[in-house]
Amino acid sequence: MLSDNRIKAPVQDGVVNQLVQASKVQDWDPSAMLDNLSFLEQKIHQLQDLVHLIIGRKGQVLGRPDELVVQQQQLVTADLTSIIVQLISTAGSLLPSGKHTLPAATPSLEQSGQFGGVVFPSAQGPLNDGFQPQNAGGSKVSGLPNSVDISRKNGNEQNHIIEEHELKDEEDVEEGESLIPGTYEILQLEKEEILAPHTHFCTICGKGFKRDANLRMHMRGHGDEYKTPGALAKPNKESGSEPTIIKRYSCPYTGCKRNKDHKKFQPLKTILCVKNHYKRTHCDKSYICSRCNTKKFSVIADLKTHEKHCGKDKWLCSCGTTFSRKDKLFGHIALFQGHTPAIPLEEAKAPAGPSDQGDGNQSTNKVGSMNFNFSSNVSSESEVQSSTDIKGSIDDPAGYFSPLSFDTCNFGGFHEFPRPPFDDSESSLAFLLSGSCNYPQKSED
Amino acid sequence: METSMEFQSKKKHHHHPLSPHSSSNPFDILTEEIVCKILDHLHDDPSAIKSFSLSCKSFYSIESRHRLTLRPLRAELLPRTFHRYPFISHLDLSLCPRVDDPTLNVISSTWKATLRSINLSRSRFFTNAGLSSLFVNCSGLVEVDLSNATQLTDLAASAIAEAKNLERLSLARCKLITDMGIGCIAVGCRKLKSLCLKWCLRVGDLGVELIALKCKQIRSLDLSYLPITEKCLDSVLQLQHLEDLVLEGCHGIDDDGLSTLEQSCKSLKMINLSNCQNVTHTGLSSLINGTEQLQQIILAYGSSVTSDLAKCLHTYSKLQSIKLDGCIITWSGIKAMACLRAPIKELSFSKCLGLTDDGLSFLVQSHKDLRKLDITCCRKITYTSIDSITSSCTSLISLRMESCSLVSKEAFVLIGERCSFLEELDATDNEIDDEGLKSVSRCSKLSILKLGICPNISDVGLAKVGSCCSQLKELDLYRATAVSDSGIAAIANGCPALEMINIAYNDKITDKSLMSLSKCWMLKALEIRGCLGVSSIGLSAIAVGCKQLTVLDVKKCFNVNDSGMLPLAQFSQNLKQINLSYCSVTDVGLVALASLSRLQNMTILHLAGLTPNGLAAALLACRALTKVKLHASFRPLLSQSILGYIEAHGCIFHWRDKAFQKEMDPKGWKLHFGKSGSEVP
């Protein structure tokens, strides 16, 4: 459950987050700094490679060259931005007070929406072979031009498909719904209400209650018709068949696409959707699977679903992706050149190679100052990594440090902190981009 | 190719008449190229190559460098060859029951650059580690036979996947390999052209489908007895070069599934749907729809042959061979087959109980180009059919008609008169007599003649065969009880190419027969079970004369004793398999036999004079043994450590608990002669 300071800061989470970190990292740790710097060095090298690649491909661009150039620019910009973020945060460990200025540029909603479009192509980039399949395995991402469409979807969608079966819920189902704005009533619960362990919800305002009796008492406030003894006694039968206004719900988190102030606002259908959405997207994943000790969930039902399948994901590809079904693995292998079924080695061989990898991962975890939560990717990535470890060989080491592989490193330190709710990757970087970058992609809408 | 290598100490005693330095060496004027050409012509006779390399140092080194193929007798001998033969590209380890990982490691580092093909189908004790080093080092490997490697798991399959240049792979009976392993191979071995997955029971649709998706070069695919369905066939049929498709015993494939197929394979030449009971003409027609190149179709033990099925085949103008063994054949089906416009060359109706004279006669009249016909156990066939066959199909090369019991003896006269190109005749368990045999002997190209359980043939007929059929290689006279020494003598004199003869259960045969057969220096297999008139004297003559002897069965030759074993041990260096059950051989004879360096397979039940100690000594001395059949009573008498040691060398013991049979004819063969020909002891 959430800590106090999270609840007190419903909107300015970013600021709080930064402050919390700033206070935590005031005692400077040179070895962490070194880790950060070497990590940055790697990033820059990769970016260099990417730019090389772009130069190399210039000659053979067919079709719509303009768009491609734009996308390449975005790609580079996105990476540069990430590097700047890192650099600043590294520097921030020495100058804690400097951080206050950073979040000043509040995330603009449009940009956060777009950022997904920018980020995603880079994840499809050539340097990123290792993780390509996870993106393309289930969603029909065929090439760069599609990325904008994907960015419109729920943030979860562009995370790894592995989680697909776990996160399928009402929340995702309503993608196709297109209600004309104004034809429905938007309700927004406060996060305290969302996170309260309620089971009875007011159909009018959505407020939740632990007991139905309390709900009925509450209902009196909504009008005299609820004050009749019949209404108060037992809600056996629906009182009236009055023309009910369609109710939709808004996420209280500012900047979220599910928030009514978002430009491309997509309302949530039910209170349950709100609850699940809020927990999944803006809350800690405090439920850890006791079997694999890797997967984390914020909704206990998700954990239960996962635990049903945990350990059964035995179908492993050489790229590290696991599948719960053999046919899914074979479909994946049929699709991607060079991927091959991974046969688990005998115990003796298994830990040899990957232990280094694991250690490296650990050391990055300790970098407290780089406490950027890049969304729920974290849990799935760490799963992927651990499963790759089992296999013992990594086809494409670059995959670990792909152009946007900040999220591949599990900045796990933050679980020790009372972490304020944070947005997904889109807006967490967007606040940095807001001032400096102006994406032409905006015009496409 | 057979036993092309031998490692005997004899060469030490060999003298070199031609010193390389002597100027009188006439071979000095020959270039190495010419010598190699000569060497290439010596492949028919394995001992010739050996003599060649022993003749002088320069020949020795030429042979060493020229040799590409190696079939070592035992894996322990391999280290000696590493230095001698640096350019081996084809390594056949089928004589080495034990090939462990260190052996594979050395092989793979020695012939790293040259090895193209390796046969491990009869070897055990290696694991995925050894295979891994083999495939990583020998990147030129094109052909690998890993059949019967029942110990191999998916890890081995992922090792195979390292062989990027592999074109031919057999994994028959690799029962532990699953779709995952096959998936690795599919991804790794993109150049595969031929793949056998027979009896890989854990491989299903997913694995096969991935093979079809990734290995686009596949020509030949054997999927027999796999639990597959039509799901993988769509991908398989999309293979552009697929020629041979074997789906024997794939019970998951049925008409309903096949009807959903959308693909057709234009390149397909052979399809085998044997034992697919759930496939009828509808399934077949959707499977072979559009395969214009189809040449051979095998539907043995499948659904009944109706006119619908036969009509499926009408469009295939290149069809040459149809095998319908064990199918129920209807009259309408035969009629429709007669209307096929393709010139059929090969027909097989073995055990087609419904085949009648009318049907067969009608059929052969419209397929006069027939070369091979198999009507084994078609028990309704009479003289009429043979009359039609012989008058229509005069270019017949092979006729197999075992147990066509209603065919009269006159029919065989017709065969000889009309089918003079015959090379193979199986008349086992038939009424053929000397007149018929005389007529058959007109077929001067006759190479295989089977006259088992033909009590009506005698020395007269055989004499004619001996004088006319000089190319005879295989003669079966099992229970042809009227034959005696003079008949065998005529064969031995007239058929110098004879490689295999069976004279079992004939009490007229004596040592004289064996003495005359000792002239057949090509003889490889001799079976004289239950010939009471045969003794060690005759056997000695065989041992001395027939140096190529590989298989010997003297079961129930009570007069064969140790003195017959001693010459065998001395001369029959090629002997691989022997059955000595019921013989009067003792420890002495058996221990003597143990010196045969190639002896792999021994059946030694009820040897009266055998003691546990003698047996243990023989087993320990026999280093090449792979299979020994012993009476179960010996099991507790032999020390476990000795058994364990021998088994560790790759030998498998078969313990039999058969009671001692006193009578020669316990099943009453003499009473039911010719009436129940199927039972062969």
Side-chain angles (χ1 to χ4, degrees), chain A residues 120 124 131-141 150 153-168 172 295 297 306 313 321-325 328-329 332 335-336 376-377 379-381 383-384:
Chain A
F120 200 67
Q124 286 275 308
F131 291 103
Q132 210 168 352
Q134 292 148 3
N135 292 323
S139 67
K140 295 193 171 102
V141 186
I150 283 144
K153 291 189 185 170
N154 185 344
N156 283 330
E157 287 285 320
Q158 56 166 289
N159 295 336
H160 299 291
I161 301 303
I162 306 166
E163 291 189 48
E164 192 180 39
H165 65 284
E166 290 156 19
L167 294 185
K168 276 234 171 93
D172 303 320
K295 282 261 187 182
F297 302 90
H306 162 79
D313 281 9
T321 318
T322 55
F323 298 85
S324 57
R325 286 169 52 180
K328 297 289 176 199
L329 167 66
H332 166 91
L335 208 57
F336 295 100
S376 48
N377 285 17
S379 66
S380 64
E381 287 298 346
E383 155 118 354
V384 167

Side-chain angles (χ1 to χ4, degrees), chain A residues 314-316 326-327 329-331 333-346 349, chain B residues 128-129 153-155 158 178-185 187-188 190 202 206-207 210 213-214:
Chain A
K314 55 181 178 179
W315 306 110
L316 178 63
K326 188 159 74 163
D327 56 336
L329 167 66
F330 275 73
I333 287 163
L335 208 57
F336 295 100
Q337 295 280 323
H339 291 220
T340 178
I343 314 294
L345 296 172
E346 270 117 9
K349 283 187 177 178
Chain B
N128 55 291
T153 63
D154 284 340
L155 281 174
S158 68
T178 72
D179 283 333
M180 293 293 276
I182 294 302
C184 292
I185 291 171
V187 174
R190 290 299 182 84
R202 296 195 189 181
L206 292 171
L210 201 62
L213 286 173
K214 298 282 184 182

Side-chain angles (χ1 to χ4, degrees), chain A residues 55-66:
Chain A
I55 294 167
R57 277 205 304 222
K58 275 234 167 92
Q60 29 178 320
V61 170
L62 298 167
R64 294 166 291 179
D66 289 346

Side-chain angles (χ1 to χ4, degrees), chain A residues 53-114:
Chain A
L53 208 76
I54 290 167
I55 294 167
R57 277 205 304 222
K58 275 234 167 92
Q60 29 178 320
V61 170
L62 298 167
R64 294 166 291 179
D66 289 346
E67 266 181 53
L68 208 70
V69 169
V70 166
Q71 277 164 347
Q72 285 167 347
Q73 278 174 357
Q74 288 167 357
L75 215 66
V76 174
T77 320
D79 283 6
L80 277 173
T81 313
S82 331
I83 291 166
I84 293 165
V85 171
Q86 298 267 308
L87 203 57
I88 292 171
S89 71
T90 311
S93 63
L94 286 171
L95 303 162
S97 58
K99 287 211 156 186
H100 291 278
T101 55
L102 273 179
T106 346
S108 133
L109 298 177
E110 295 100 319
Q111 277 153 355
S112 73
Q114 275 165 7

